[in-house]
Amino acid sequence: MSAPETRPVLEAEGLEVRYGGNLALSVDRLAIAQGELVGVVGANGAGKSTLVNALAGWSRGEPKATGTVRLDGRDISGLRTPERVKAGLLLIPESRLVFATLSVDENLAHAAHPRHAQGRRAYSTDEIFDLFPNLASRRGHLGGQLSGGERQMLGIARALRLAPRALMLDEPSIGLAPRLVSTVLETIRALVDDGLTVLLVEQNVKATIPVVDRLVLLERGRILAQGPTAEMQDDPRIAEAYLGGAA
Ligand SMILES: Nc1ncnc2c1ncn2[C@@H]1O[C@H](COP(=O)(O)OP(=O)(O)OP(=O)(O)O)[C@@H](O)[C@H]1O
Ligand SMILES: [Mg+2]
């Protein structure tokens, strides 16, 4: 097959991150195709956040990241986070990236449709409020007054305004009521069905399995296993560690 159809939207090769002398991440290759929803799962400290942060060119500390990150085949490894955002690679970290002292409307206005985003879709405010009716009724509320679920939705809404080529989410379900967990994950699934490409980090494996196309299991910074969800959910390493099921 010719390259354009098969070229991944987001691709990492030989990606390594060290904190001090400690190797926190070592990924030979990870590729996400157009319109795919890939779930990254693993225990606390497995390197999930380190992975998405390295892809986004961002870090809490002072890590040393090496390797190649490509977006639509373009090597973006040398770009800083704001340039990667402009290129269409967006990360919603655990903190959600919502301005607490701005209203919902102001938060959305801050995330304006980028000028140079050919071929990328920026959701309009109307589309966003259709997608998140809860936000529509809270347009004048401040970010800081929103519930955890509403903040997560506002974080996603802001990202959609920025016309993401690929969207990464770090544990969007954390701190949410069980009912909201499935709402948020199903919304992400609907966006992917609409053409978005998503890398989803989750510790809630049970809630993740029904929505993702593929699962990547990280352990001590390495990909221990990956494959289509239908195969991976029966993998004993997933079943034993996260689902409490017999292998
Ligand atoms: N800023 C930092 N400085 C030093 N070590 C770090 C830093 N951030 C992460 N680490 C280490 O890197 C490893 C991977 O951490 P990471 O936060 O990526 O894990 P995680 O899978 O996201 O875990 P969690 O499920 O708790 O969010 C851990 O051993 C962690 O202690
Ligand atoms: Mg993490």
Side-chain angles (χ1 to χ4, degrees):
M1 241 191 264
S2 63
E5 283 94 48
T6 55
R7 188 174 69 192
V9 169
L10 181 62
E11 191 182 11
E13 235 168 17
L15 192 62
E16 292 198 342
V17 179
R18 285 183 170 77
Y19 294 106
N22 298 324
L23 186 64
L25 186 79
S26 178
V27 165
D28 293 337
R29 186 160 187 274
L30 178 67
I32 300 143
Q34 162 66 44
E36 198 178 25
L37 173 45
V38 176
V40 176
V41 298
N44 288 123
K48 305 181 296 297
S49 297
T50 300
L51 169 64
V52 285
N53 291 345
L55 290 169
W58 183 83
S59 163
R60 280 172 297 202
E62 269 193 61
K64 193 169 159 18
T66 53
T68 307
V69 179
R70 288 189 204 91
L71 188 67
D72 281 322
R74 172 188 173 202
D75 186 344
I76 58 165
S77 321
L79 300 187
R80 299 167 69 89
T81 304
E83 278 77 45
R84 294 190 197 199
V85 169
K86 271 188 204 143
L89 181 57
L90 272 77
L91 167 64
I92 304 179
E94 265 184 54
S95 58
R96 273 63 153 151
L97 277 191
V98 161
F99 295 109
T101 55
L102 298 184
S103 70
V104 166
D105 271 341
E106 289 164 341
N107 263 283
L108 289 174
H110 256 256
H113 178 27
R115 259 186 227 163
H116 304 289
Q118 308 98 311
R120 284 158 47 197
R121 174 172 179 199
Y123 282 65
S124 70
T125 319
D126 284 349
E127 287 173 314
I128 280 167
F129 288 135
D130 277 350
L131 206 56
F132 302 113
N134 273 11
L135 286 184
S137 58
R138 304 232 181 340
R139 292 178 68 152
H141 287 50
L142 299 182
Q145 297 171 329
L146 301 177
S147 72
E150 290 163 350
R151 267 205 307 281
Q152 186 62 56
M153 289 173 193
L154 182 55
I156 297 172
R158 294 190 70 235
L160 295 177
R161 294 284 294 139
L162 293 168
R165 183 68 185 108
L167 179 62
M168 304 185 287
L169 300 106
D170 194 351
E171 307 218 27
S173 82
I174 209 159
L176 300 189
R179 183 178 49 83
L180 275 178
V181 169
S182 42
T183 305
V184 166
L185 295 182
E186 279 161 19
T187 303
I188 294 166
R189 178 72 241 178
L191 292 168
V192 170
D193 290 340
D194 217 19
L196 193 63
T197 302
V198 171
L199 184 60
L200 168 70
V201 164
E202 262 302 336
Q203 258 198 66
N204 189 336
V205 181
K206 240 181 194 149
T208 302
I209 282 177
V211 299
V212 296
D213 300 309
R214 216 144 54 74
L215 274 174
V216 174
L217 174 60
L218 268 190
E219 195 180 275
R220 280 183 234 122
R222 291 176 191 275
I223 295 180
L224 194 64
Q226 64 174 316
T229 311
E231 293 167 21
M232 286 287 288
Q233 63 184 339
D234 297 326
D235 188 306
R237 290 165 292 193
I238 295 236
E240 272 169 19
Y242 302 101
L243 302 177

